[in-house]
Amino acid sequence: DVYKRQASHTVSLYLGLLIGVQVLSIGFNYIQERLTDTLYNDTRTSLRLAVYRNVSQLSIDFFERTRIGEITQRAGAGVMDLSSWIDSLADNVLLSVLRCLFIVVILALKSPILGIIAGLAIPAMLVTSATKMRRSKPLRRESRRLVEVSFGRMTEAFTHMATIRSLGMTRATEERFATSTEESRQVQNQAYHIDWNFNLIRDGLFAAVVLSCFAITALGAVHGNFTAGDVFLVLLYTQEFMSSLMPLGRVLQQTGDVETSCERIVELLNERPTVVDRPNAIALERLESIEFDRVSFRYPGKDRQILKDVSFTLPVGQTLALVGPSGVGKTTITKLLLRFYEPTSGRILVNGRDIREFTQASIRDHVGMVMQDVALFNDTIGENLRYAKPEADDATIQAAARAAHADIFIDKLADGYDTLVGERGIRLSGGEKQRVAVARAILRDPQLIVLDEATSALDSESERLVQTGLEQLMRGRTAIVIAHRLSTVRRADQILVLQQGRVIEQGTHVELADQTGGLYA
């Protein structure tokens, strides 16, 4: 009876301990999962927002020299790599480290030599993994760069698929993409070869630890220092030790990829805009006059000056037309006015004050643009119009569409203002897109209108409708018009004729047309 009571007490004690361990294990796993998943989700979200906020604030020259696909691949893949690595680190590493340390202690209690052998396996694996990462890092960096280039080309091709097919370049574009993809594959394979070689060394190291511990224990059992149970226990523990080290090795291997991804993300986060507001810049309340005072400009990294000593004054309510051959700097003038770039020399004055005294955002708030290449988003017609004024109600949007004569085609569509326009407005004709752009500018109600070849690519009927909408838009507003068509510029209050970056003629249509031998004439 005493024996039964003692046995029952012992069993109850161990059962209670087992239940306690299981409860703690369940609680630990629950807390770990919650913390790990929250960390993963928060890291991914905050990084995406940080990258977007920084990139969206960069100057236009960054986007003009970088493929959009490269930016999205670098940000998207990099954020996912880092988030997954953090998730793996938090989910596996702590438990694996604790298990390894526990086994080392158990083996050391059995025999110090066993503990030393198992303990040395940890730094040996760390050194092996670190060497492998150092050797393969340049290849992984180059592979990631090539993947970004390849993804950039793919995005570019998909965006311009109609043009590619019309030029019969489908096969050539595919081969170009395949070449960049193959280059990435070959570089990545070189990195894999380094991984395979070092993994072979790692597996050999693990096997040596298991065999050494087993041999020491087996020989000790022969001499009576260990029991047969000890041999089995050591073999079991060394196998468990190796399997616990494997997740650590995988996390360390991922670290090489993550380091490369982080470098690419950090490059984006470290990019700084080339045009920044002064610390004491103020908001522009009202646009009264614009003046270019001996403005010269060359694009970053270019030797040729695109503008040379350009001067003019544009009072409020007047229309300025910019004409001249392609590539003489007409559009560049509007880019400088919008502060996409800073002049190389000279000054731009707004209301008689240096344009840099005003914030960039406040200047752009007063400008509405209608370009030859209309930027429409893959959304409904109504939402594309609402980009100009997010708070506008349906009646206001429809009134703007009527003023631009866009309602003529919108009302004929089955879904009306809820019609999806497709990527870059591909489902609309050129004239329809232009009328949506004019309606958007009318809805924005800006003080300054910039028209950049707004009707140059249209047929006569579309041009008539768009031109009528533009006249409604420009009524009572200051305007800058870039055009090659005479009908677009003849009503301007003043016309600048540019050649090789210089203003060579200036005046009204009548004055310039009467100049015998003049470029405008």
Side-chain angles (χ1 to χ4, degrees), residues 152-195:
R153 287 176 176 172
M154 180 176 67
T155 305
E156 196 173 51
F158 289 166
T159 303
H160 302 290
M161 188 55 68
T163 302
I164 289 171
R165 289 181 178 176
S166 66
L167 293 173
M169 292 294 290
T170 303
R171 182 63 180 171
T173 305
E174 179 184 332
E175 290 175 354
R176 187 183 179 200
F177 174 73
T179 299
S180 61
T181 304
E182 177 62 20
E183 289 175 352
S184 173
R185 187 187 71 84
Q186 290 179 0
V187 173
Q188 187 63 54
N189 272 344
Q190 294 177 41
Y192 285 153
H193 277 290
I194 294 175
D195 290 346

mmCIF file of all heavy atoms in Angstrom, residues 152-195:
data_model
loop_
_atom_site.group_PDB
_atom_site.id
_atom_site.type_symbol
_atom_site.label_atom_id
_atom_site.label_comp_id
_atom_site.label_asym_id
_atom_site.label_seq_id
_atom_site.Cartn_x
_atom_site.Cartn_y
_atom_site.Cartn_z
ATOM 1 N N GLY A 152 11.503 45.274 -65.337
ATOM 2 C CA GLY A 152 11.245 46.578 -65.935
ATOM 3 C C GLY A 152 10.907 46.471 -67.410
ATOM 4 O O GLY A 152 9.990 47.131 -67.907
ATOM 5 N N ARG A 153 11.647 45.628 -68.116
ATOM 6 C CA ARG A 153 11.383 45.433 -69.546
ATOM 7 C C ARG A 153 10.026 44.766 -69.763
ATOM 8 O O ARG A 153 9.305 45.091 -70.720
ATOM 9 C CB ARG A 153 12.492 44.591 -70.169
ATOM 10 C CG ARG A 153 13.806 45.353 -70.326
ATOM 11 C CD ARG A 153 14.913 44.477 -70.864
ATOM 12 N NE ARG A 153 16.128 45.263 -71.100
ATOM 13 C CZ ARG A 153 17.296 44.737 -71.429
ATOM 14 N NH1 ARG A 153 17.419 43.414 -71.551
ATOM 15 N NH2 ARG A 153 18.348 45.520 -71.636
ATOM 16 N N MET A 154 9.676 43.820 -68.895
ATOM 17 C CA MET A 154 8.390 43.150 -69.019
ATOM 18 C C MET A 154 7.249 44.142 -68.819
ATOM 19 O O MET A 154 6.285 44.174 -69.598
ATOM 20 C CB MET A 154 8.284 42.012 -68.009
ATOM 21 C CG MET A 154 6.968 41.248 -68.067
ATOM 22 S SD MET A 154 6.920 39.833 -66.953
ATOM 23 C CE MET A 154 6.941 40.670 -65.368
ATOM 24 N N THR A 155 7.341 44.966 -67.778
ATOM 25 C CA THR A 155 6.312 45.962 -67.508
ATOM 26 C C THR A 155 6.199 46.950 -68.669
ATOM 27 O O THR A 155 5.104 47.316 -69.094
ATOM 28 C CB THR A 155 6.633 46.725 -66.210
ATOM 29 O OG1 THR A 155 6.802 45.791 -65.150
ATOM 30 C CG2 THR A 155 5.526 47.691 -65.864
ATOM 31 N N GLU A 156 7.340 47.363 -69.181
ATOM 32 C CA GLU A 156 7.373 48.294 -70.304
ATOM 33 C C GLU A 156 6.717 47.680 -71.539
ATOM 34 O O GLU A 156 5.948 48.335 -72.251
ATOM 35 C CB GLU A 156 8.829 48.652 -70.596
ATOM 36 C CG GLU A 156 9.032 49.875 -71.452
ATOM 37 C CD GLU A 156 10.501 50.251 -71.536
ATOM 38 O OE1 GLU A 156 11.341 49.376 -71.855
ATOM 39 O OE2 GLU A 156 10.820 51.411 -71.278
ATOM 40 N N ALA A 157 7.003 46.395 -71.777
ATOM 41 C CA ALA A 157 6.431 45.711 -72.941
ATOM 42 C C ALA A 157 4.919 45.574 -72.813
ATOM 43 O O ALA A 157 4.178 45.819 -73.775
ATOM 44 C CB ALA A 157 7.076 44.333 -73.102
ATOM 45 N N PHE A 158 4.444 45.194 -71.643
ATOM 46 C CA PHE A 158 3.008 45.048 -71.446
ATOM 47 C C PHE A 158 2.293 46.391 -71.593
ATOM 48 O O PHE A 158 1.176 46.452 -72.106
ATOM 49 C CB PHE A 158 2.724 44.465 -70.061
ATOM 50 C CG PHE A 158 3.115 43.012 -69.924
ATOM 51 C CD1 PHE A 158 3.200 42.419 -68.676
ATOM 52 C CD2 PHE A 158 3.407 42.237 -71.045
ATOM 53 C CE1 PHE A 158 3.564 41.083 -68.535
ATOM 54 C CE2 PHE A 158 3.771 40.911 -70.914
ATOM 55 C CZ PHE A 158 3.852 40.332 -69.663
ATOM 56 N N THR A 159 2.929 47.476 -71.163
ATOM 57 C CA THR A 159 2.323 48.800 -71.258
ATOM 58 C C THR A 159 2.183 49.243 -72.707
ATOM 59 O O THR A 159 1.210 49.913 -73.073
ATOM 60 C CB THR A 159 3.169 49.828 -70.477
ATOM 61 O OG1 THR A 159 3.297 49.403 -69.125
ATOM 62 C CG2 THR A 159 2.520 51.202 -70.512
ATOM 63 N N HIS A 160 3.160 48.859 -73.534
ATOM 64 C CA HIS A 160 3.180 49.314 -74.938
ATOM 65 C C HIS A 160 2.945 48.150 -75.901
ATOM 66 O O HIS A 160 3.497 48.134 -77.006
ATOM 67 C CB HIS A 160 4.518 49.980 -75.246
ATOM 68 C CG HIS A 160 4.843 51.142 -74.362
ATOM 69 N ND1 HIS A 160 4.163 52.337 -74.430
ATOM 70 C CD2 HIS A 160 5.761 51.298 -73.370
ATOM 71 C CE1 HIS A 160 4.648 53.182 -73.535
ATOM 72 N NE2 HIS A 160 5.611 52.570 -72.875
ATOM 73 N N MET A 161 2.121 47.170 -75.505
ATOM 74 C CA MET A 161 1.929 45.975 -76.329
ATOM 75 C C MET A 161 1.330 46.302 -77.694
ATOM 76 O O MET A 161 1.720 45.704 -78.710
ATOM 77 C CB MET A 161 1.035 44.982 -75.583
ATOM 78 C CG MET A 161 0.925 43.622 -76.266
ATOM 79 S SD MET A 161 2.556 42.851 -76.571
ATOM 80 C CE MET A 161 3.085 42.498 -74.894
ATOM 81 N N ALA A 162 0.400 47.253 -77.748
ATOM 82 C CA ALA A 162 -0.204 47.605 -79.041
ATOM 83 C C ALA A 162 0.852 48.157 -79.997
ATOM 84 O O ALA A 162 0.877 47.820 -81.190
ATOM 85 C CB ALA A 162 -1.321 48.623 -78.831
ATOM 86 N N THR A 163 1.733 49.018 -79.490
ATOM 87 C CA THR A 163 2.802 49.578 -80.320
ATOM 88 C C THR A 163 3.762 48.486 -80.774
ATOM 89 O O THR A 163 4.182 48.456 -81.943
ATOM 90 C CB THR A 163 3.577 50.649 -79.522
ATOM 91 O OG1 THR A 163 2.670 51.659 -79.093
ATOM 92 C CG2 THR A 163 4.667 51.266 -80.385
ATOM 93 N N ILE A 164 4.115 47.594 -79.859
ATOM 94 C CA ILE A 164 5.044 46.506 -80.193
ATOM 95 C C ILE A 164 4.482 45.648 -81.309
ATOM 96 O O ILE A 164 5.181 45.295 -82.269
ATOM 97 C CB ILE A 164 5.325 45.660 -78.930
ATOM 98 C CG1 ILE A 164 6.184 46.450 -77.942
ATOM 99 C CG2 ILE A 164 6.029 44.345 -79.288
ATOM 100 C CD1 ILE A 164 6.332 45.792 -76.592
ATOM 101 N N ARG A 165 3.196 45.307 -81.219
ATOM 102 C CA ARG A 165 2.584 44.461 -82.250
ATOM 103 C C ARG A 165 2.441 45.195 -83.580
ATOM 104 O O ARG A 165 2.636 44.610 -84.645
ATOM 105 C CB ARG A 165 1.225 43.970 -81.758
ATOM 106 C CG ARG A 165 1.351 42.930 -80.646
ATOM 107 C CD ARG A 165 0.009 42.419 -80.182
ATOM 108 N NE ARG A 165 0.189 41.397 -79.163
ATOM 109 C CZ ARG A 165 -0.809 40.823 -78.506
ATOM 110 N NH1 ARG A 165 -2.066 41.174 -78.773
ATOM 111 N NH2 ARG A 165 -0.568 39.906 -77.593
ATOM 112 N N SER A 166 2.107 46.478 -83.506
ATOM 113 C CA SER A 166 1.946 47.234 -84.752
ATOM 114 C C SER A 166 3.271 47.376 -85.499
ATOM 115 O O SER A 166 3.288 47.507 -86.726
ATOM 116 C CB SER A 166 1.356 48.615 -84.457
ATOM 117 O OG SER A 166 2.269 49.399 -83.696
ATOM 118 N N LEU A 167 4.389 47.355 -84.763
ATOM 119 C CA LEU A 167 5.708 47.458 -85.382
ATOM 120 C C LEU A 167 6.300 46.091 -85.722
ATOM 121 O O LEU A 167 7.420 46.014 -86.226
ATOM 122 C CB LEU A 167 6.669 48.203 -84.439
ATOM 123 C CG LEU A 167 6.354 49.685 -84.191
ATOM 124 C CD1 LEU A 167 7.282 50.247 -83.121
ATOM 125 C CD2 LEU A 167 6.505 50.487 -85.481
ATOM 126 N N GLY A 168 5.546 45.024 -85.424
ATOM 127 C CA GLY A 168 6.054 43.679 -85.691
ATOM 128 C C GLY A 168 7.247 43.311 -84.820
ATOM 129 O O GLY A 168 8.122 42.541 -85.241
ATOM 130 N N MET A 169 7.287 43.856 -83.592
ATOM 131 C CA MET A 169 8.438 43.652 -82.716
ATOM 132 C C MET A 169 8.157 42.651 -81.594
ATOM 133 O O MET A 169 8.907 42.571 -80.621
ATOM 134 C CB MET A 169 8.849 44.992 -82.095
ATOM 135 C CG MET A 169 9.423 45.981 -83.087
ATOM 136 S SD MET A 169 11.001 45.416 -83.760
ATOM 137 C CE MET A 169 12.043 45.575 -82.300
ATOM 138 N N THR A 170 7.086 41.877 -81.723
ATOM 139 C CA THR A 170 6.721 40.945 -80.655
ATOM 140 C C THR A 170 7.843 39.957 -80.381
ATOM 141 O O THR A 170 8.246 39.733 -79.232
ATOM 142 C CB THR A 170 5.435 40.188 -81.022
ATOM 143 O OG1 THR A 170 4.392 41.141 -81.282
ATOM 144 C CG2 THR A 170 5.009 39.275 -79.888
ATOM 145 N N ARG A 171 8.362 39.347 -81.456
ATOM 146 C CA ARG A 171 9.410 38.349 -81.300
ATOM 147 C C ARG A 171 10.703 38.967 -80.771
ATOM 148 O O ARG A 171 11.361 38.411 -79.875
ATOM 149 C CB ARG A 171 9.677 37.663 -82.649
ATOM 150 C CG ARG A 171 10.724 36.558 -82.614
ATOM 151 C CD ARG A 171 10.282 35.416 -81.735
ATOM 152 N NE ARG A 171 11.285 34.350 -81.685
ATOM 153 C CZ ARG A 171 11.217 33.322 -80.863
ATOM 154 N NH1 ARG A 171 10.203 33.212 -80.010
ATOM 155 N NH2 ARG A 171 12.150 32.401 -80.874
ATOM 156 N N ALA A 172 11.064 40.126 -81.315
ATOM 157 C CA ALA A 172 12.305 40.779 -80.879
ATOM 158 C C ALA A 172 12.215 41.196 -79.413
ATOM 159 O O ALA A 172 13.183 41.057 -78.659
ATOM 160 C CB ALA A 172 12.577 42.003 -81.761
ATOM 161 N N THR A 173 11.048 41.689 -78.996
ATOM 162 C CA THR A 173 10.868 42.092 -77.598
ATOM 163 C C THR A 173 10.935 40.885 -76.678
ATOM 164 O O THR A 173 11.519 40.946 -75.584
ATOM 165 C CB THR A 173 9.512 42.809 -77.425
ATOM 166 O OG1 THR A 173 9.438 43.905 -78.342
ATOM 167 C CG2 THR A 173 9.350 43.328 -76.014
ATOM 168 N N GLU A 174 10.340 39.783 -77.132
ATOM 169 C CA GLU A 174 10.388 38.543 -76.340
ATOM 170 C C GLU A 174 11.825 38.059 -76.180
ATOM 171 O O GLU A 174 12.240 37.635 -75.095
ATOM 172 C CB GLU A 174 9.540 37.472 -77.017
ATOM 173 C CG GLU A 174 9.529 36.138 -76.286
ATOM 174 C CD GLU A 174 8.753 35.079 -77.035
ATOM 175 O OE1 GLU A 174 7.825 35.431 -77.790
ATOM 176 O OE2 GLU A 174 9.074 33.888 -76.873
ATOM 177 N N GLU A 175 12.599 38.124 -77.265
ATOM 178 C CA GLU A 175 13.997 37.694 -77.197
ATOM 179 C C GLU A 175 14.818 38.599 -76.281
ATOM 180 O O GLU A 175 15.697 38.141 -75.553
ATOM 181 C CB GLU A 175 14.598 37.686 -78.608
ATOM 182 C CG GLU A 175 14.043 36.573 -79.504
ATOM 183 C CD GLU A 175 14.573 36.658 -80.922
ATOM 184 O OE1 GLU A 175 15.283 37.650 -81.225
ATOM 185 O OE2 GLU A 175 14.276 35.744 -81.727
ATOM 186 N N ARG A 176 14.511 39.893 -76.308
ATOM 187 C CA ARG A 176 15.216 40.835 -75.429
ATOM 188 C C ARG A 176 14.930 40.514 -73.965
ATOM 189 O O ARG A 176 15.833 40.508 -73.127
ATOM 190 C CB ARG A 176 14.753 42.250 -75.763
ATOM 191 C CG ARG A 176 15.522 43.356 -75.040
ATOM 192 C CD ARG A 176 14.917 44.691 -75.396
ATOM 193 N NE ARG A 176 15.602 45.786 -74.712
ATOM 194 C CZ ARG A 176 15.091 46.986 -74.522
ATOM 195 N NH1 ARG A 176 13.881 47.246 -74.958
ATOM 196 N NH2 ARG A 176 15.758 47.929 -73.905
ATOM 197 N N PHE A 177 13.652 40.220 -73.675
ATOM 198 C CA PHE A 177 13.283 39.855 -72.314
ATOM 199 C C PHE A 177 13.930 38.526 -71.921
ATOM 200 O O PHE A 177 14.427 38.370 -70.796
ATOM 201 C CB PHE A 177 11.758 39.753 -72.203
ATOM 202 C CG PHE A 177 11.279 39.246 -70.877
ATOM 203 C CD1 PHE A 177 11.341 40.039 -69.748
ATOM 204 C CD2 PHE A 177 10.761 37.965 -70.751
ATOM 205 C CE1 PHE A 177 10.903 39.578 -68.524
ATOM 206 C CE2 PHE A 177 10.320 37.490 -69.536
ATOM 207 C CZ PHE A 177 10.384 38.291 -68.422
ATOM 208 N N ALA A 178 13.924 37.561 -72.861
ATOM 209 C CA ALA A 178 14.517 36.251 -72.573
ATOM 210 C C ALA A 178 16.017 36.371 -72.304
ATOM 211 O O ALA A 178 16.563 35.661 -71.448
ATOM 212 C CB ALA A 178 14.271 35.300 -73.747
ATOM 213 N N THR A 179 16.681 37.278 -73.021
ATOM 214 C CA THR A 179 18.130 37.466 -72.814
ATOM 215 C C THR A 179 18.427 37.973 -71.413
ATOM 216 O O THR A 179 19.309 37.450 -70.724
ATOM 217 C CB THR A 179 18.679 38.459 -73.849
ATOM 218 O OG1 THR A 179 18.475 37.936 -75.169
ATOM 219 C CG2 THR A 179 20.173 38.699 -73.638
ATOM 220 N N SER A 180 17.698 38.984 -70.974
ATOM 221 C CA SER A 180 17.941 39.525 -69.630
ATOM 222 C C SER A 180 17.569 38.514 -68.556
ATOM 223 O O SER A 180 18.235 38.422 -67.516
ATOM 224 C CB SER A 180 17.154 40.829 -69.432
ATOM 225 O OG SER A 180 15.763 40.605 -69.562
ATOM 226 N N THR A 181 16.518 37.727 -68.809
ATOM 227 C CA THR A 181 16.119 36.693 -67.847
ATOM 228 C C THR A 181 17.168 35.598 -67.765
ATOM 229 O O THR A 181 17.480 35.099 -66.675
ATOM 230 C CB THR A 181 14.756 36.094 -68.249
ATOM 231 O OG1 THR A 181 13.788 37.141 -68.364
ATOM 232 C CG2 THR A 181 14.278 35.090 -67.215
ATOM 233 N N GLU A 182 17.708 35.223 -68.926
ATOM 234 C CA GLU A 182 18.752 34.181 -68.952
ATOM 235 C C GLU A 182 20.019 34.657 -68.249
ATOM 236 O O GLU A 182 20.675 33.884 -67.534
ATOM 237 C CB GLU A 182 19.056 33.809 -70.405
ATOM 238 C CG GLU A 182 20.182 32.795 -70.588
ATOM 239 C CD GLU A 182 19.878 31.450 -69.942
ATOM 240 O OE1 GLU A 182 18.700 31.148 -69.685
ATOM 241 O OE2 GLU A 182 20.843 30.693 -69.698
ATOM 242 N N GLU A 183 20.363 35.917 -68.424
ATOM 243 C CA GLU A 183 21.539 36.466 -67.725
ATOM 244 C C GLU A 183 21.353 36.357 -66.218
ATOM 245 O O GLU A 183 22.274 35.970 -65.484
ATOM 246 C CB GLU A 183 21.751 37.932 -68.128
ATOM 247 C CG GLU A 183 22.249 38.117 -69.547
ATOM 248 C CD GLU A 183 22.313 39.590 -69.930
ATOM 249 O OE1 GLU A 183 21.825 40.434 -69.141
ATOM 250 O OE2 GLU A 183 22.829 39.908 -71.016
ATOM 251 N N SER A 184 20.155 36.685 -65.754
ATOM 252 C CA SER A 184 19.866 36.582 -64.325
ATOM 253 C C SER A 184 19.951 35.143 -63.851
ATOM 254 O O SER A 184 20.497 34.852 -62.778
ATOM 255 C CB SER A 184 18.463 37.148 -64.037
ATOM 256 O OG SER A 184 18.100 36.929 -62.703
ATOM 257 N N ARG A 185 19.423 34.214 -64.652
ATOM 258 C CA ARG A 185 19.447 32.793 -64.277
ATOM 259 C C ARG A 185 20.876 32.283 -64.157
ATOM 260 O O ARG A 185 21.220 31.547 -63.216
ATOM 261 C CB ARG A 185 18.683 31.969 -65.313
ATOM 262 C CG ARG A 185 18.504 30.498 -64.931
ATOM 263 C CD ARG A 185 17.906 29.716 -66.075
ATOM 264 N NE ARG A 185 18.870 29.556 -67.158
ATOM 265 C CZ ARG A 185 19.798 28.598 -67.189
ATOM 266 N NH1 ARG A 185 19.905 27.726 -66.212
ATOM 267 N NH2 ARG A 185 20.634 28.518 -68.211
ATOM 268 N N GLN A 186 21.736 32.660 -65.106
ATOM 269 C CA GLN A 186 23.113 32.183 -65.083
ATOM 270 C C GLN A 186 23.874 32.724 -63.862
ATOM 271 O O GLN A 186 24.613 31.989 -63.208
ATOM 272 C CB GLN A 186 23.820 32.595 -66.371
ATOM 273 C CG GLN A 186 23.328 31.849 -67.610
ATOM 274 C CD GLN A 186 24.022 32.303 -68.872
ATOM 275 O OE1 GLN A 186 24.882 33.184 -68.843
ATOM 276 N NE2 GLN A 186 23.653 31.709 -70.009
ATOM 277 N N VAL A 187 23.663 34.006 -63.550
ATOM 278 C CA VAL A 187 24.335 34.587 -62.382
ATOM 279 C C VAL A 187 23.831 33.923 -61.101
ATOM 280 O O VAL A 187 24.603 33.607 -60.193
ATOM 281 C CB VAL A 187 24.109 36.112 -62.332
ATOM 282 C CG1 VAL A 187 24.656 36.693 -61.029
ATOM 283 C CG2 VAL A 187 24.779 36.789 -63.518
ATOM 284 N N GLN A 188 22.510 33.699 -61.033
ATOM 285 C CA GLN A 188 21.944 33.054 -59.851
ATOM 286 C C GLN A 188 22.469 31.629 -59.696
ATOM 287 O O GLN A 188 22.712 31.162 -58.576
ATOM 288 C CB GLN A 188 20.414 33.051 -59.935
ATOM 289 C CG GLN A 188 19.722 32.551 -58.674
ATOM 290 C CD GLN A 188 19.999 33.428 -57.482
ATOM 291 O OE1 GLN A 188 19.780 34.636 -57.520
ATOM 292 N NE2 GLN A 188 20.471 32.843 -56.391
ATOM 293 N N ASN A 189 22.656 30.939 -60.819
ATOM 294 C CA ASN A 189 23.201 29.574 -60.764
ATOM 295 C C ASN A 189 24.626 29.567 -60.219
ATOM 296 O O ASN A 189 25.021 28.639 -59.502
ATOM 297 C CB ASN A 189 23.183 28.929 -62.154
ATOM 298 C CG ASN A 189 21.863 28.227 -62.434
ATOM 299 O OD1 ASN A 189 21.084 27.957 -61.510
ATOM 300 N ND2 ASN A 189 21.603 27.929 -63.697
ATOM 301 N N GLN A 190 25.401 30.593 -60.562
ATOM 302 C CA GLN A 190 26.751 30.689 -59.996
ATOM 303 C C GLN A 190 26.688 30.834 -58.476
ATOM 304 O O GLN A 190 27.488 30.229 -57.753
ATOM 305 C CB GLN A 190 27.481 31.876 -60.614
ATOM 306 C CG GLN A 190 27.769 31.732 -62.110
ATOM 307 C CD GLN A 190 28.432 32.968 -62.676
ATOM 308 O OE1 GLN A 190 29.311 33.567 -62.049
ATOM 309 N NE2 GLN A 190 28.021 33.388 -63.863
ATOM 310 N N ALA A 191 25.718 31.624 -57.999
ATOM 311 C CA ALA A 191 25.543 31.760 -56.546
ATOM 312 C C ALA A 191 25.102 30.442 -55.934
ATOM 313 O O ALA A 191 25.555 30.062 -54.846
ATOM 314 C CB ALA A 191 24.515 32.853 -56.247
ATOM 315 N N TYR A 192 24.245 29.715 -56.653
ATOM 316 C CA TYR A 192 23.796 28.415 -56.150
ATOM 317 C C TYR A 192 24.951 27.432 -56.042
ATOM 318 O O TYR A 192 25.002 26.624 -55.101
ATOM 319 C CB TYR A 192 22.710 27.845 -57.061
ATOM 320 C CG TYR A 192 21.369 28.504 -56.918
ATOM 321 C CD1 TYR A 192 20.468 28.530 -57.985
ATOM 322 C CD2 TYR A 192 20.972 29.103 -55.723
ATOM 323 C CE1 TYR A 192 19.225 29.131 -57.863
ATOM 324 C CE2 TYR A 192 19.737 29.708 -55.595
ATOM 325 C CZ TYR A 192 18.864 29.720 -56.666
ATOM 326 O OH TYR A 192 17.638 30.315 -56.548
ATOM 327 N N HIS A 193 25.860 27.465 -57.006
ATOM 328 C CA HIS A 193 27.019 26.549 -56.972
ATOM 329 C C HIS A 193 27.841 26.778 -55.694
ATOM 330 O O HIS A 193 28.314 25.822 -55.071
ATOM 331 C CB HIS A 193 27.885 26.739 -58.210
ATOM 332 C CG HIS A 193 27.401 25.981 -59.406
ATOM 333 N ND1 HIS A 193 27.477 24.614 -59.494
ATOM 334 C CD2 HIS A 193 26.827 26.406 -60.560
ATOM 335 C CE1 HIS A 193 26.972 24.210 -60.659
ATOM 336 N NE2 HIS A 193 26.566 25.287 -61.328
ATOM 337 N N ILE A 194 27.999 28.044 -55.334
ATOM 338 C CA ILE A 194 28.709 28.345 -54.083
ATOM 339 C C ILE A 194 27.929 27.787 -52.894
ATOM 340 O O ILE A 194 28.498 27.184 -51.977
ATOM 341 C CB ILE A 194 28.905 29.867 -53.946
ATOM 342 C CG1 ILE A 194 29.851 30.378 -55.039
ATOM 343 C CG2 ILE A 194 29.455 30.217 -52.557
ATOM 344 C CD1 ILE A 194 30.011 31.890 -55.060
ATOM 345 N N ASP A 195 26.608 27.966 -52.913
ATOM 346 C CA ASP A 195 25.776 27.428 -51.833
ATOM 347 C C ASP A 195 25.910 25.909 -51.747
ATOM 348 O O ASP A 195 26.040 25.350 -50.641
ATOM 349 C CB ASP A 195 24.310 27.797 -52.065
ATOM 350 C CG ASP A 195 24.053 29.280 -51.882
ATOM 351 O OD1 ASP A 195 24.929 29.970 -51.330
ATOM 352 O OD2 ASP A 195 22.965 29.749 -52.289
#
